[in-house]
Amino acid sequence: METHVTLDHGSGGLASRELITSLFLRHLDDPLLHQLEDAAVLPAQGGRLAFSTDSFVVDPIVFPGGSIGDLAVNGTINDLAMRGARPLCLSLGLILEEGLELMQLEEIIRDIARACSRAGVRVVTGDTKVVPRGKADRIFINTSGIGVLAAGVEVNGSRVREGDVILLSGTLADHGITILTSREGLEVEGNLASDTRPLHFLVQSILGEENPVHTMRDPTRGGLATTLAEIARDTGLCMEIEEAAIPVRPAVRAACELMGLDPLYLANEGKCVVLVAAEDAPDVLARMRATEAGRESARIGQVTARYPGRVVLATAAGGSRLVEPLAGEPLPRIC
Amino acid sequence: METHVTLDHGSGGLASRELITSLFLRHLDDPLLHQLEDAAVLPAQGGRLAFSTDSFVVDPIVFPGGSIGDLAVNGTINDLAMRGARPLCLSLGLILEEGLELMQLEEIIRDIARACSRAGVRVVTGDTKVVPRGKADRIFINTSGIGVLAAGVEVNGSRVREGDVILLSGTLADHGITILTSREGLEVEGNLASDTRPLHFLVQSILGEENPVHTMRDPTRGGLATTLAEIARDTGLCMEIEEAAIPVRPAVRAACELMGLDPLYLANEGKCVVLVAAEDAPDVLARMRATEAGRESARIGQVTARYPGRVVLATAAGGSRLVEPLAGEPLPRIC
């Protein structure tokens, strides 16, 4: 019995077949995937489609709160959810480094299966490549996804208006700080864990019949600062947020202070920013809080005309400062 | 001005944005992609959907006849086409190694744009990650694709019957031998070039109104031998092929002999095997030959009950031998 991934596993021949049937299909139990055809054929869908792709190269590949497998499933689900779509199915593209332990690979496939089952989403088609030792770093995962939009649902930056309220679905920076401290092997007071989770249940519950949502974004790479800066730039409006209103776990805050990092720029993998008209904000916030993913949702600011195209933070100390988008990369391979 | 990919380009911040707008969007000129939202929203489609994914890790990344960019577009188009679908759109997931030359990246993006334009397919959503030097090999590309099936089109292994004729859309082994000789720096008589090309126009022309096609496969990794062995195993029937009927370019044959390789096991990136009822074969073959991708199509064998689940080759010398599927990987990173 093999214990590690070999180049043979990427041959497209018998060894590939063996890996697929004995490991992948055992955990990813979907009838379409089992056909092992070149493409999956899905029934006709009655609505517009959302289509998204994301590659995951996170280091370490397993961390408190999840693994690259959870991220790969939840990340693409969330990209679909941010357009208001109900995620339908995923593709799974693996690039494996020769020498990866098969037990480690199986653990990740199991995480993928669990994340899919939790989210009610299927992996229906896949592909596996193997590259020689030293030509990749253990495992890279691409997931692409198809979702379906209900009639009339429009969620995009062009709907944002002055006076809109900015809601955030929970605490900031949990994923980014967890990856960083695990990578550096830092011991931190309190428990840090990634917030990786699917957001489509929360999204479906706030869209309701009438869709009060103007735009939604999940602040992953670049964090909340960059996400809001993009919305500000694209709309020409000012995003005013209040530091004191932004939920950050004490352990996360302490670790950020220790490392000299600003939670506004750290990645989140299970949070969204939701912009709605002021009159809809109380109801939407209540609905967000009623979901498992949004229990700690908060109103963190509003859209004004004060500094067109910019983000302004009212600091806890009583001052205010402009928030720039992330320029470079303080934290490679965060997802 | 930067001349090489840096970790900043994968930050999700300003440097990422700059790479996307100044390089990717300049060549990939699609209105959906330009929105830079988390997911693309496509109009409702009136039929069943085909969904496929493929990652490309080929080495070298540029070779006679194409590049990793052409492969990535044509490969996923062909996976969709093999189910009888009309390809609609692609996603583009890039994993870049820090230090990749931006000019080289631009050349590949240009190849992607040209291949899309030739095929009439759009890149509508994308993602870019950068990993530190030594953690990947220049560039890996994932493309996933969505296609639409016309009403009634069913193309899969379960339709294969004893008596079916096996057609091949052109010469064998061009891609595999080209990659191998370029990687090894071998000088070979005659011009070798990859056969990377889209097959959906050929497929649409043979499906016609009545769909005579029982199954289709593109013999990529593992070559024709492995593809036919899979059909034989899945159907329990015998695939009998004739060596003399299989078109192989003289330069390819010479290079294979020089390197001790069997063209039956080498990858193709623009060929398909088509199984049809004997009475439909002449018409389907004529239609294949009338397309640009299928000018050298040939009838190479038939489906019998002689050795159930096996592939048998009638050799040019007059004997016959069983053809096994590829076991391991003689040729890593062929696509």
Side-chain angles (χ1 to χ4, degrees):
Chain A
M1 269 303 286
E2 303 278 2
T3 57
H4 294 76
V5 169
T6 67
L7 289 173
D8 285 351
H9 286 125
S11 64
L14 289 177
S16 299
R17 187 87 177 195
E18 169 67 17
L19 180 70
I20 291 166
T21 53
S22 76
L23 200 158
F24 301 161
L25 294 186
R26 196 145 53 81
H27 299 289
L28 299 169
D29 189 23
D30 189 273
L32 288 179
L33 189 66
H34 275 248
Q35 292 177 7
L36 298 180
E37 294 271 3
D38 287 326
V41 173
L42 308 166
Q45 301 298 323
R48 289 163 301 156
L49 303 174
F51 184 32
S52 187
T53 193
D54 222 337
S55 294
F56 296 84
V57 299
V58 65
D59 171 36
I61 55 181
V62 179
F63 44 80
S67 75
I68 190 171
D70 299 287
L71 280 189
V73 172
N74 295 333
T76 293
I77 285 176
N78 291 346
D79 282 344
L80 297 171
M82 291 306 105
R83 298 303 301 274
R86 183 175 53 79
L88 187 67
C89 60
L90 297 179
S91 64
L92 178 65
L94 303 176
I95 298 176
L96 307 177
E97 183 189 10
E98 181 190 12
L100 176 70
E101 270 190 71
L102 284 173
M103 276 182 61
Q104 174 114 66
L105 177 59
E106 180 156 19
E107 211 40 72
I108 290 166
I109 299 295
R110 214 177 261 143
D111 288 342
I112 289 172
R114 268 193 296 250
C116 282
S117 155
R118 172 185 185 185
V121 168
R122 310 155 55 182
V123 171
V124 297
T125 190
D127 175 63
T128 304
K129 295 293 190 307
V130 180
V131 298
R133 213 177 282 268
K135 299 296 186 188
D137 193 4
R138 292 159 292 165
I139 180 169
F140 299 148
I141 303 181
N142 177 282
T143 45
S144 301
I146 301 179
V148 181
L149 277 91
V153 168
E154 289 294 343
V155 177
N156 61 63
S158 69
R159 295 177 37 119
V160 177
R161 297 285 176 268
E162 192 181 331
D164 280 1
V165 164
I166 305 172
L167 305 172
L168 175 65
S169 71
T171 58
L172 221 55
D174 297 84
H175 179 73
I177 200 72
T178 301
I179 295 300
L180 261 171
T181 51
S182 356
R183 197 186 299 163
E184 307 287 334
L186 286 186
E187 292 289 330
V188 180
E189 288 273 331
N191 288 326
L192 297 180
S194 169
D195 59 343
T196 177
R197 63 155 70 231
L199 292 168
H200 59 305
F201 298 125
L202 178 151
V203 167
Q204 292 302 317
S205 92
I206 60 178
L207 288 180
E209 293 288 300
E210 309 248 314
N211 182 23
V213 177
H214 290 173
T215 198
M216 283 184 287
R217 290 282 179 84
D218 55 337
T220 55
R221 282 183 294 177
L224 182 67
T226 307
T227 298
L228 289 179
E230 283 175 2
I231 300 175
R233 188 205 46 219
D234 294 350
T235 59
L237 293 166
C238 179
M239 307 289 129
E240 290 199 50
I241 54 175
E242 289 166 58
E243 191 169 26
I246 298 172
V248 180
R249 284 189 211 296
V252 171
R253 192 179 299 282
C256 284
E257 282 171 9
L258 181 70
M259 300 178 75
L261 292 167
D262 185 342
L264 286 179
Y265 290 92
L266 294 182
N268 309 279
E269 290 289 341
K271 299 293 155 44
C272 57
V273 185
V274 181
L275 274 66
V276 295
E279 65 266 29
D280 293 323
D283 178 52
V284 172
L285 185 58
R287 288 204 231 174
M288 288 169 72
R289 286 183 174 156
T291 65
E292 196 193 333
R295 279 199 299 250
E296 297 172 283
S297 295
R299 173 185 174 132
I300 63 163
Q302 60 207 330
V303 178
T304 70
R306 191 163 156 213
Y307 296 99
R310 306 299 291 270
V311 180
V312 182
L313 179 77
T315 65
S320 75
R321 67 174 170 89
L322 288 174
V323 175
E324 301 297 333
L326 181 67
E329 176 56 290
L331 318 167
R333 300 182 63 191
I334 210 74
C335 62
Chain B
M1 268 303 285
E2 303 278 1
T3 56
H4 293 76
V5 169
T6 66
L7 289 174
D8 285 351
H9 287 126
S11 64
L14 290 176
S16 300
R17 187 86 177 195
E18 169 67 18
L19 181 71
I20 292 166
T21 53
S22 76
L23 199 158
F24 300 160
L25 294 186
R26 195 145 53 80
H27 299 288
L28 299 169
D29 189 23
D30 189 272
L32 287 179
L33 189 65
H34 275 247
Q35 292 177 7
L36 297 181
E37 293 271 2
D38 287 327
V41 173
L42 308 165
Q45 301 298 322
R48 289 163 301 156
L49 303 174
F51 183 32
S52 188
T53 193
D54 222 337
S55 294
F56 296 84
V57 299
V58 65
D59 171 37
I61 55 180
V62 179
F63 43 80
S67 75
I68 190 171
D70 299 288
L71 281 189
V73 172
N74 295 334
T76 292
I77 285 175
N78 291 347
D79 282 343
L80 297 171
M82 291 305 106
R83 298 303 302 274
R86 183 175 53 78
L88 186 68
C89 60
L90 298 179
S91 64
L92 178 64
L94 303 176
I95 297 175
L96 308 177
E97 184 189 9
E98 180 190 14
L100 175 69
E101 272 191 70
L102 284 173
M103 276 182 61
Q104 174 114 66
L105 177 59
E106 180 156 18
E107 210 41 72
I108 290 165
I109 299 295
R110 212 177 263 143
D111 288 342
I112 289 171
R114 267 193 296 251
C116 282
S117 155
R118 172 185 186 186
V121 169
R122 310 155 56 183
V123 171
V124 296
T125 189
D127 175 62
T128 304
K129 295 292 190 309
V130 180
V131 298
R133 214 176 282 267
K135 299 296 184 189
D137 193 5
R138 294 160 292 166
I139 180 169
F140 299 148
I141 303 181
N142 177 283
T143 46
S144 301
I146 300 178
V148 181
L149 277 90
V153 168
E154 289 293 343
V155 177
N156 60 63
S158 69
R159 295 176 38 120
V160 177
R161 297 285 176 269
E162 193 182 331
D164 280 2
V165 164
I166 305 171
L167 306 172
L168 176 66
S169 71
T171 58
L172 221 56
D174 298 82
H175 179 73
I177 200 72
T178 301
I179 295 299
L180 262 171
T181 51
S182 353
R183 197 187 300 164
E184 306 288 332
L186 287 184
E187 292 289 330
V188 181
E189 289 273 332
N191 288 326
L192 296 180
S194 169
D195 59 343
T196 176
R197 63 155 70 232
L199 293 168
H200 60 304
F201 298 125
L202 178 150
V203 167
Q204 292 302 317
S205 92
I206 60 178
L207 287 180
E209 293 288 299
E210 309 247 313
N211 181 24
V213 177
H214 289 172
T215 198
M216 282 183 289
R217 290 282 178 85
D218 56 337
T220 56
R221 282 184 292 177
L224 182 67
T226 306
T227 297
L228 289 178
E230 282 175 2
I231 300 175
R233 189 205 46 220
D234 293 350
T235 59
L237 294 165
C238 179
M239 307 289 129
E240 291 199 49
I241 54 175
E242 289 165 57
E243 190 169 26
I246 298 172
V248 180
R249 283 188 213 296
V252 171
R253 192 179 299 283
C256 284
E257 282 171 8
L258 181 71
M259 300 179 75
L261 293 167
D262 184 342
L264 285 179
Y265 290 92
L266 294 182
N268 309 279
E269 291 290 341
K271 299 293 155 44
C272 57
V273 185
V274 181
L275 274 66
V276 295
E279 65 267 27
D280 293 323
D283 177 53
V284 172
L285 185 59
R287 288 205 232 174
M288 288 169 72
R289 285 184 174 154
T291 65
E292 196 194 334
R295 278 199 300 251
E296 298 172 282
S297 295
R299 172 183 174 133
I300 63 163
Q302 61 208 329
V303 179
T304 70
R306 192 164 156 212
Y307 296 99
R310 307 298 292 269
V311 180
V312 182
L313 179 77
T315 65
S320 75
R321 66 173 171 90
L322 288 174
V323 175
E324 301 297 333
L326 181 67
E329 176 55 292
L331 318 166
R333 300 183 63 192
I334 211 74
C335 62

